[in-house]
Amino acid sequence: MSKLARYLPILAWGRSYDRQTLVSDGVAAGIVTIMLIPQSLAYAMLAGLPPEVGLYASILPILAYAIFGTSRTLAVGPVAVISLMTLAAAGTVAPPGTPEFIAAALVLAFLSGLILVLMGVLKLGFLANLLSHPVVSGFITASGIIIATGQAKSILGIQASGEAMPELLATLTRNIGATNLPTLIIGLASLAFLFWVRKGLKPTLMRLGMAARPADLTAKAGPIAAVVLSTMAVAAFDLEAKGVKVVGEIPQSLPPLTVPLFDLSLWQQLIVPALLLSVIGFVESVSVAQTLAAKRRQRIDPDQELIGLGAANIAASFSGGYPVTGGFARSVVNFDAGAETPAAGAITAVGIAIAALFLTPLLASLPIATLAATIIVAVLSLVDFQTVRTVWRYSRADFAAMAATILITLGFGVEPGVMAGVALSLALLLWRTSRPHAAIVGRVPGTEHFRNVARHTVVTDPAIITIRVDESLTYLNARWLEEYVLEEIAEQPQVRHVILMGSAINAIDASALESLEAINHRLADAGIRLHLSEVKGPVMDRLARSHLLADLTGQVFLSQDNAFSTLLSAPDDAGAMTPREDLWLARGLI
């Protein structure tokens, strides 16, 4: 049963489910449902899909995640960045809104689901760590700017197109003279109202006597008021006849059964975008899930999260939806509203299904300008210039990668931006790994501690040099280590002993082993002995299977203080431990 629960977390939390938990989940689901209805419609239109597709993507995918996901409060469904990536990817196949475009969106969801499930089964959740946080933050910031700019056309009631800022701004500028005044009034009024709801409604309600939590939840459900008021205004003043574009008729139905098109050439065309979409969606989702889980001292399983999100996307592909992931705003609302288990998501799915069956006729006169305002207010919270400033102060290398990701995404579009982000993350990782931090260390007076000679007043000896490398030794930095050691020796001709301090070395691969052997031989040719200190047990186990310990010109010491004291008082190595004895001692055998 425990092994089955590894892949079906519902078996774990479902056993303790009771009436009190149901009430908590039901309240949270009701609030999230109210929030999700306009968001689902808006994000589907952002993705270039009919509005009902957003509702379909918020039913079966949520149920699938409730069964397979591990987060108790993550709210899965359409989100802004994934919607924009879907538009960019499916737009290479067919124009938005066409049957071919919708088919491509289904294939994207299916491929993304397969990729995520496969990664989860193979326990490849760690691969998401290859995307650095500054790069992900930069990509999301740039995407938020593009999305907000793209929605300006709906606020103005004009035509505009383009996946990148230059083209978007050019088409907006060319067509701004055709602005529809009633649409502009609705759009600006909706924007002003939604911004006020986000910042001012909660304090106002609290001043009127409402408790903090109900006031907060009411404020988060504020977009529904914008939907209701703007829809009533369109119907009352017949604004559709005056050029105000509305959502139009939405089918009253549950999600249809759909089968992703099996077309090998289409799959080949969409596999790379699906992979990028999967990685970005997982990174965004798992970050939210981990943050919320930590607040309740819960934990999530990243590998099982891959399976949960994969199942959600596969469910979307068979129910007329499009790619989904965990949304930040909805998840926070779900958390604040008191959701205790993924059943809250399942109840939300039921609420969306009821809305799709019975409430869609009420949305026919909903102005698209209001949905655009909803998107703009939501995505501007993703634009984080504070992080840009923080990264600039902290690390110029991370800032360069972040700035490049932002500029490439803004200048060339979402797909080139995310590919550049992945490439820059990997390049930054490789650069840092290939040039690890290393220091010459000496003993702090009166202690057994050794610190960097450039930072501390320490005891050293001209005949002894200790090098501490703060990184695992791999093929990426093996040659660098050789050059570093030999450069230090060249600058200090009086050195007779080199101690490589291994307290921060967690692994030594075959290439690094060859470099250590080469260093040992080259130092021996110069009359210098190579010693090792504080080598970790697993690393020593591997070294014991090589020729390095047998050929080592020096000794292996259990501690750096023992190495320094022994060589300082007995340069001829009297009393030093043999490599094999030190290995036995490290294992606790002597």
Side-chain angles (χ1 to χ4, degrees):
M1 177 65 73
S2 61
K3 190 172 183 180
L4 185 60
R6 153 75 173 84
Y7 293 101
L8 291 172
I10 189 175
L11 297 178
W13 59 262
R15 287 197 296 267
S16 60
Y17 203 79
D18 54 25
R19 179 176 297 179
Q20 183 178 352
T21 307
L22 175 61
V23 171
S24 298
D25 286 344
V27 171
I31 294 171
V32 173
T33 300
I34 292 172
M35 179 182 184
L36 188 53
I37 291 173
Q39 278 195 353
S40 297
L41 299 172
Y43 290 149
M45 299 185 75
L46 171 62
L49 296 163
E52 65 269 17
V53 173
L55 296 176
Y56 299 157
S58 302
I59 300 176
L60 286 188
I62 300 179
L63 293 174
Y65 181 82
I67 296 171
F68 294 99
T70 61
S71 172
R72 298 293 183 99
T73 53
L74 187 70
V76 172
V79 299
V81 173
I82 298 302
S83 297
L84 182 62
M85 294 180 69
T86 299
L87 174 64
T92 63
V93 174
T98 62
E100 294 79 10
F101 182 92
I102 296 173
L106 290 175
V107 170
L108 269 176
F110 184 68
L111 290 177
S112 178
L114 287 181
I115 291 170
L116 289 166
V117 169
L118 181 61
M119 290 176 66
V121 171
L122 297 178
K123 298 186 176 181
L124 299 179
F126 69 92
L127 291 177
N129 297 330
L130 296 177
L131 274 175
S132 69
H133 175 71
V135 164
V136 173
S137 179
F139 171 73
I140 291 176
T141 292
S143 298
I145 295 172
I146 291 175
I147 292 169
T149 304
Q151 292 306 301
K153 67 178 185 295
S154 297
I155 298 292
L156 298 170
I158 62 176
Q159 295 293 322
S161 60
E163 297 178 8
M165 287 296 289
E167 187 179 356
L168 271 174
L169 292 175
T171 54
L172 283 171
T173 302
R174 281 199 303 268
N175 298 326
I176 197 169
T179 297
N180 180 270
L181 185 58
T183 300
L184 179 61
I185 293 172
I186 290 175
L188 292 180
S190 298
L191 276 174
F193 176 74
L194 291 172
F195 275 120
W196 176 77
V197 163
R198 182 176 287 261
K199 298 294 184 181
L201 181 56
K202 179 181 176 180
T204 301
L205 293 175
M206 291 179 65
R207 283 195 298 269
L208 294 175
M210 185 178 288
R213 188 183 176 195
D216 184 54
L217 297 177
T218 302
K220 287 182 169 64
I224 286 291
V227 168
V228 173
L229 292 174
S230 61
T231 302
M232 291 174 61
V234 169
F237 298 104
D238 194 20
L239 296 180
E240 188 176 355
K242 298 177 182 179
V244 174
K245 294 182 179 179
V246 297
V247 170
E249 184 178 350
I250 301 176
Q252 287 182 263
S253 68
L254 291 174
L257 175 63
T258 53
V259 179
L261 183 64
F262 184 79
D263 183 329
L264 187 58
S265 62
L266 179 62
W267 282 37
Q268 290 174 340
Q269 189 173 352
L270 295 177
I271 188 65
V272 172
L275 176 61
L276 298 176
L277 191 149
S278 301
V279 172
I280 291 295
F282 174 65
V283 169
E284 182 178 355
S285 179
V286 80
S287 298
V288 175
Q290 287 176 334
T291 300
L292 297 179
K295 291 183 178 182
R296 292 184 179 173
R297 298 190 178 185
Q298 298 168 346
R299 65 175 296 275
I300 67 166
D301 181 348
D303 294 318
Q304 184 60 30
E305 281 299 289
L306 284 165
I307 295 175
L309 291 174
N313 278 282
I314 291 173
S317 71
F318 283 97
S319 59
Y322 73 105
V324 298
T325 193
F328 176 75
R330 290 195 302 274
S331 298
V332 170
V333 171
N334 201 34
F335 179 90
D336 290 341
E340 295 189 22
T341 72
I347 300 172
T348 298
V350 174
I352 298 294
I354 292 173
L357 274 174
F358 302 109
L359 301 182
T360 51
L362 302 177
L363 300 172
S365 296
L366 171 60
I368 291 177
T370 301
L371 294 180
T374 303
I375 293 174
I376 290 173
V377 172
V379 300
L380 285 182
S381 65
L382 304 176
V383 178
D384 187 3
F385 291 117
Q386 178 59 42
T387 298
V388 176
R389 291 192 292 269
T390 301
V391 172
W392 164 259
R393 290 194 299 267
Y394 184 76
S395 170
R396 293 296 191 270
D398 282 326
F399 173 79
M402 186 180 195
T405 302
I406 292 174
L407 293 175
I408 292 172
T409 303
L410 291 177
F412 300 97
V414 173
E415 191 169 317
V418 71
M419 293 181 71
V422 172
L424 289 169
S425 292
L426 292 174
L428 196 57
L429 174 65
L430 294 176
W431 181 78
R432 285 174 171 161
T433 305
S434 66
R435 300 183 62 84
H437 178 266
I440 307 299
V441 300
R443 183 163 58 190
V444 178
T447 73
E448 296 182 358
H449 301 292
F450 285 74
R451 295 292 184 267
N452 191 337
V453 298
R455 294 177 177 270
H456 301 272
T457 301
V458 294
V459 177
T460 60
D461 184 88
I464 304 171
I465 183 172
T466 298
I467 299 173
R468 188 192 70 213
V469 181
D470 299 329
E471 182 71 66
S472 294
L473 300 180
T474 68
Y475 69 96
L476 292 170
N477 54 35
R479 288 290 300 169
W480 171 89
L481 178 63
E482 289 185 50
E483 295 173 2
Y484 182 85
V485 172
L486 296 177
E487 285 178 6
E488 292 295 334
I489 296 305
E491 295 176 1
Q492 304 182 55
Q494 68 273 40
V495 170
R496 292 294 174 265
H497 299 279
V498 172
I499 307 172
L500 182 62
M501 185 175 175
S503 57
I505 299 175
N506 295 318
I508 298 176
D509 72 4
S511 298
L513 175 64
E514 289 187 7
S515 289
L516 289 177
E517 292 172 341
I519 291 171
N520 184 49
H521 290 304
R522 295 180 72 172
L523 291 180
D525 292 341
I528 301 172
R529 293 191 174 190
L530 175 64
H531 308 269
L532 304 178
S533 76
E534 301 190 7
V535 181
K536 293 184 177 180
V539 178
M540 181 64 80
D541 291 341
R542 297 189 69 177
L543 292 181
R545 297 196 294 267
S546 72
H547 296 290
L548 178 66
L549 297 183
D551 296 338
L552 195 66
T553 56
Q555 304 295 321
V556 180
F557 295 92
L558 187 62
S559 72
Q560 175 59 29
D561 183 67
N562 177 237
F564 187 72
S565 299
T566 300
L567 297 177
L568 190 64
S569 60
D572 293 330
D573 299 337
M577 190 178 294
T578 66
R580 185 59 57 188
E581 287 172 340
D582 186 68
L583 176 59
W584 290 341
L585 182 57
R587 291 176 172 175
L589 299 177
I590 59 174

